[in-house]
Amino acid sequence: MTEPIMQQLIISGVGGQGILFVTRLLAEAAIKKGLPVFTSETHGMAQRGGTVLSHFKVGDFSSPLIRPKQADGLLVLKAENIAVHKNFLKSNGWAIANGEHDGKQAAEIPVHNIDADSLAQEIGNPQAANLIVLGFALAKAGKIKAKQGKLFCTMTDIKSVLRNRFGKNKKMLEASLKALEAGYET
Amino acid sequence: MTERRLLLGNEAIARGLVENGCAVATSYPGTPASEILAAVASFQKENKLTMHTQWAINEKIAFEIAYAGCQTGLRTAVAMKQVGLIVASDPLMSAAYMGVKGGFIVISADDPGPISSQTEQDSRLMAMMARIPALDPDTPFQAKEMIALAYEISENFKTPVMLRPTTRVCHSRQDVALEKIMQLEREVKFEKDPSRWAATPRFRFHLHNEVEEKLAAIARHKPTEPVCLNPEVKSTRAIISSGVAAAHTKEILKELNLWQTIPFYQVLQPFPLHTDFIAHWIETYEEILVIEEPMAVIEMQLADRHRVQGKVSNTVPSVGELYPENIEEIIGKFTGKKTKKLAIPFAGGRRPTLCAGCPHRASFYAIKKAARGGIFTSDIGCYTLGLNLGAVDTVLCMGAAVSQASGFYHAHKNEEKRPDIVATIGDSTFFHAGIPALIDAVVQNVKFVLVILDNRTTAMTGSQPTPTSGVGAGGEPLETVDIAALVRGCGVKYCKESNPYNFKEFSARMKEAVKYSRETGPAVVISRYPCVIDLARKGEAAEPIPITITDDCDGCAYCIKQFECPALIYHDENEDEKYTTVDPILCIGCGVCLNVCPKGAIVIKED
């Protein structure tokens, strides 16, 4: 028998980047796979351009929050957040960051960087950096070993969630899939 | 198979309401409770339910409407944030004495931290003062379960019942099973009983007696008893917790391998704490640790204090949210288990700011220029962030922008030199609590300017409608109220409307209003432009004006300090070459910044 899936992810950025949307896609992917899911997010004033942080847990957890040094992975939509949010990461966890960051900030943790903002401009969808980062994460953290926190879901799972969400809105669906793939192929 | 849906805690609460036959649900928006009513309205629509859902003008009115509903025998509920409960505390205290006919739930969401509130007050203490029971859910799942429990207690004991979630319950999402929706189809019947529903003080004495008897019985009510989650474990010490702190504690005890060694009790009903439980712990344990937030409500009800560790004994911090890492450390100390001291360093991150293109920014910039050196009172809403521009000096509570302006005027009026006073208040907040204060200012002839920032919505809490919107909680058409007519009806003689995006005209209007207020009396300017988030969502955003910054920019940073638009990016990496640029992704092209640069370097971009 395989071990039951227990995964904890931190997703962070600033207000307006679509952090909650990415969290939601991952959560819906978990539900589709029949896994219990728990997420926690920031609302209200903190959302107005301030730092936004999502905690995401799949598996048999009772608390909505992740403690320091417990996260398997880190998805950072604004690289500057690495400096603080790297503290959530396990010693062998993985990190994906949008944009360049100061090398010192990320000291001790290996970070996969992607320039999702430029890529989003290139594909003509400047708001889609969040999906590009998610696609990139699916590629990078989908290929590692289970022990190193292999992402619990795949590109196929997320695509199917997007199809469910935007079933009737072909234009939105295509734009979203395009952004997701742009990140995945990078 | 029952559908499992990803529900926000607030949506799970809403689902619990409709599954248990709630027929009237009311609310005033406030983080972290705002999504409850919207979700009730959306379940109502989805399932074509016969019920009344509404945004009320404030929490007191929301409470009174829902309370009258339960007086007719219907199941009803009112939802608000903890600060809102204070606004509704007048009817709360009295309703506790009068009791209910149909079930009535008061949902008051607390905000330890505070994350999005003025204070870390504890609604459970309000329940204690009002003499009604309070339930404390640990997850969205349990919040939904507790709605059934709350209606059962409410109808059994004829009392309002409080459900007290905290931010982490309201704003976490969990997969929750959707169960059958119950439409009770009760007869709506208000039975006259003046000795109860209109009780005079003499009858209130008897009602108070009833309340205390009810509470004593509720403190013995089996279904809400504290639960020992690992009953096979025996020890001389135990841990007691409630709400989300209990959810953290459970996970931590398991991870620290303490689940088999230390008994753990979850309190479902912090007030009144069960009588038998209080006796049980005294007999069974030498020492207990109580973990709860934000205040020591369970702890205070435990006798034999020298054996209780918690907030009162300074074992658990009394200020700020209890993060799981704090709880881990506290449990480590209590059990002698070694834990690593870990914390996420407080790095502030980015401070919240008004959105790029927000019409409030234009208003604030004009206000500062029209009343230099003035006193700027403000209020609760997005526009609190006018702080960043130096255009907000005070924020006390809902509606206080107006009454504090009066207070500052009266304090200064006998002085030789009197500062200009400009108050800012949002449309929703003006309706909520600003109107009585404005009437007071008219009567006292307070010389000040009130700027009503009318963005046609309750923006901070997620764009709920206001009395000017003409739509209800479910999008149904409603009547509207005209702010200008209302202001004139309050007796204000100077009331003008202006669009802050027409910056020159708006600035002239502000100067005129300030002059009027110096010489004559209260002046009101209604600054009207819709919230840009709302416009973008509806696909109605104005055609953007392309902005660029020319070489005339000498890096003086005036625009950054005085206008503070997040789309203006300041570059000071190089000491000799400082300058500002426009972020093309954030900029929505409102064009207001064209009026800001003293060097004239912010211009329309020509192709």
Side-chain angles (χ1 to χ4, degrees), chain A residues 11-15 17 19 50-53 75-78 81 85:
Chain A
I11 305 149
S12 88
V14 298
Q17 281 192 306
I19 304 293
T51 301
V52 174
L53 178 67
L75 257 80
V76 181
L77 270 76
K78 212 39 150 193
N81 288 1
H85 296 154

Side-chain angles (χ1 to χ4, degrees), chain B residues 13-310:
Chain B
I13 290 169
R15 182 72 196 186
L17 291 174
V18 297
E19 283 179 4
N20 288 284
C22 176
V24 176
T26 61
S27 182
Y28 180 80
T31 313
S34 308
E35 297 81 7
I36 299 170
L37 187 85
V40 173
S42 120
F43 285 124
Q44 178 188 10
K45 239 180 170 176
E46 182 185 334
N47 300 284
K48 301 189 176 58
L49 305 175
T50 307
M51 62 184 297
H52 175 71
T53 48
Q54 78 155 87
W55 290 114
I57 204 163
N58 64 33
E59 293 86 355
K60 177 180 184 295
I61 291 167
F63 188 107
E64 289 154 359
I65 291 168
Y67 181 65
C70 91
Q71 287 178 302
T72 71
L74 295 174
R75 284 190 164 181
T76 67
V78 59
M80 62 200 89
K81 71 180 297 179
Q82 87 285 40
V83 183
L85 185 67
I86 307 303
V87 176
S89 59
D90 199 351
L92 169 72
M93 298 297 146
S94 191
Y97 274 36
M98 298 199 302
V100 307
K101 191 177 161 200
F104 177 45
I105 305 179
V106 180
I107 302 160
S108 180
D110 283 351
D111 186 26
I115 299 171
S116 228
S117 304
Q118 303 97 299
T119 64
E120 292 192 272
Q121 59 195 259
D122 194 319
S123 297
R124 300 173 305 167
L125 281 176
M126 292 297 288
M128 192 187 267
M129 179 156 77
R131 315 306 285 160
I132 62 168
L135 302 179
D136 194 356
D138 66 355
T139 53
F141 168 77
Q142 195 177 62
K144 177 167 157 300
E145 301 277 295
M146 277 186 174
I147 295 288
L149 207 52
Y151 274 132
E152 186 254 320
I153 299 173
S154 178
E155 291 181 350
N156 250 338
F157 297 96
K158 303 273 174 253
T159 173
V161 174
M162 179 184 291
L163 181 79
R164 192 293 301 243
T166 55
T167 304
R168 296 298 177 188
V169 173
C170 294
H171 287 164
S172 57
R173 287 181 201 269
Q174 204 177 17
D175 56 311
V176 177
L178 303 190
E179 277 151 89
K180 221 174 140 256
I181 288 171
M182 188 160 51
Q183 286 265 69
L184 295 175
E185 287 165 27
R186 288 187 181 174
E187 185 193 5
V188 182
K189 192 167 181 223
F190 173 64
E191 285 171 84
K192 298 195 182 196
D193 178 6
S195 66
R196 176 170 301 274
W197 305 134
T200 52
R202 192 165 63 86
F203 288 99
R204 294 276 171 167
F205 172 81
H206 297 297
L207 294 179
H208 188 191
N209 243 330
E210 272 181 25
V211 166
E212 296 303 330
E213 280 164 20
K214 287 177 195 175
L215 280 177
I218 294 168
R220 291 190 300 271
H221 189 56
K222 288 279 169 203
T224 51
E225 252 182 359
V227 194
C228 183
L229 295 177
N230 48 359
E232 64 290 347
V233 178
K234 301 277 173 268
S235 169
T236 55
R237 322 173 93 205
I239 297 177
I240 299 172
S241 184
S242 80
V244 75
H248 298 321
T249 303
K250 190 171 155 189
E251 200 170 300
I252 290 162
L253 286 176
K254 286 181 179 170
E255 275 180 39
L256 295 180
N257 291 322
L258 289 167
W259 194 251
Q260 312 301 336
T261 52
I262 186 118
F264 174 49
Y265 291 81
Q266 181 172 6
V267 171
L268 306 175
Q269 178 189 289
F271 182 79
L273 195 60
H274 281 67
T275 326
D276 288 348
F277 177 71
I278 297 173
H280 169 76
W281 91 260
I282 292 179
E283 286 160 18
T284 319
Y285 303 108
E286 286 169 16
E287 200 169 26
I288 51 168
L289 168 66
V290 185
I291 308 171
E292 63 183 321
E293 62 184 359
M295 297 170 88
V297 175
I298 299 171
E299 191 182 345
M300 277 198 299
Q301 295 171 80
L302 295 169
D304 225 356
R305 302 296 286 271
H306 65 284
R307 294 199 276 146
V308 181
Q309 293 196 31

Side-chain angles (χ1 to χ4, degrees), chain A residues 88-168:
Chain A
F88 280 108
L89 205 58
K90 278 182 179 165
S91 54
N92 61 347
W94 49 265
I96 305 282
N98 172 27
E100 288 301 316
H101 53 84
D102 183 346
K104 272 183 285 179
Q105 294 182 337
E108 302 136 41
I109 65 159
V111 183
H112 302 282
N113 288 89
I114 179 169
D115 185 358
D117 291 333
S118 305
L119 208 53
Q121 293 273 19
E122 270 171 42
I123 62 166
N125 190 356
Q127 308 296 327
N130 57 347
L131 285 172
I132 294 176
V133 172
L134 178 59
F136 187 63
L138 287 163
K140 291 286 171 200
K143 287 182 195 127
I144 55 182
K145 288 193 186 115
K147 270 192 190 151
Q148 283 151 2
K150 178 187 168 86
L151 200 61
F152 76 96
C153 65
T154 63
M155 185 71 170
T156 319
D157 296 327
I158 297 292
K159 278 186 175 174
S160 131
V161 169
L162 281 172
R163 273 189 206 101
N164 267 351
R165 278 192 86 86
F166 298 128
K168 284 172 201 149

Side-chain angles (χ1 to χ4, degrees), chain A residues 8 14 20 23-24 27-28 31 35-51 55 57 60-70 78 80-81 83-85 87-88 117 121 126-127, chain B residues 4-6 8 31 35 115-116 139-140 168 171-175 244 247-248 250-252 255 321 323-325 328 342-345 347-353 355 381-382 384-385 459-460 462 533 584-585:
Chain A
Q8 310 190 56
V14 298
L20 301 192
T23 312
R24 193 137 192 180
E28 280 172 15
I31 291 185
L35 299 167
V37 63
F38 216 156
T39 75
S40 184
E41 55 200 47
T42 333
H43 283 229
M45 183 177 277
Q47 252 183 328
R48 297 275 175 267
T51 301
H55 297 241
K57 296 165 106 169
D60 184 23
F61 291 100
S62 60
S63 155
L65 296 182
I66 298 173
R67 282 174 292 148
K69 307 272 178 231
Q70 298 286 328
K78 212 39 150 193
E80 65 189 36
N81 288 1
V84 176
H85 296 154
N87 296 294
F88 280 108
D117 291 333
Q121 293 273 19
Q127 308 296 327
Chain B
R4 292 189 80 77
R5 205 185 280 184
L6 186 69
L8 191 67
T31 313
E35 297 81 7
I115 299 171
S116 228
T139 53
R168 296 298 177 188
H171 287 164
S172 57
R173 287 181 201 269
Q174 204 177 17
D175 56 311
V244 75
H248 298 321
K250 190 171 155 189
E251 200 170 300
I252 290 162
E255 275 180 39
E321 181 180 1
Y323 290 112
E325 52 269 32
E328 180 175 347
L342 293 170
I344 303 297
R350 296 190 170 207
R351 71 175 178 186
T353 167
C355 301
C382 287
T384 298
L385 298 171
M460 176 63 84
I533 295 184
I585 296 175

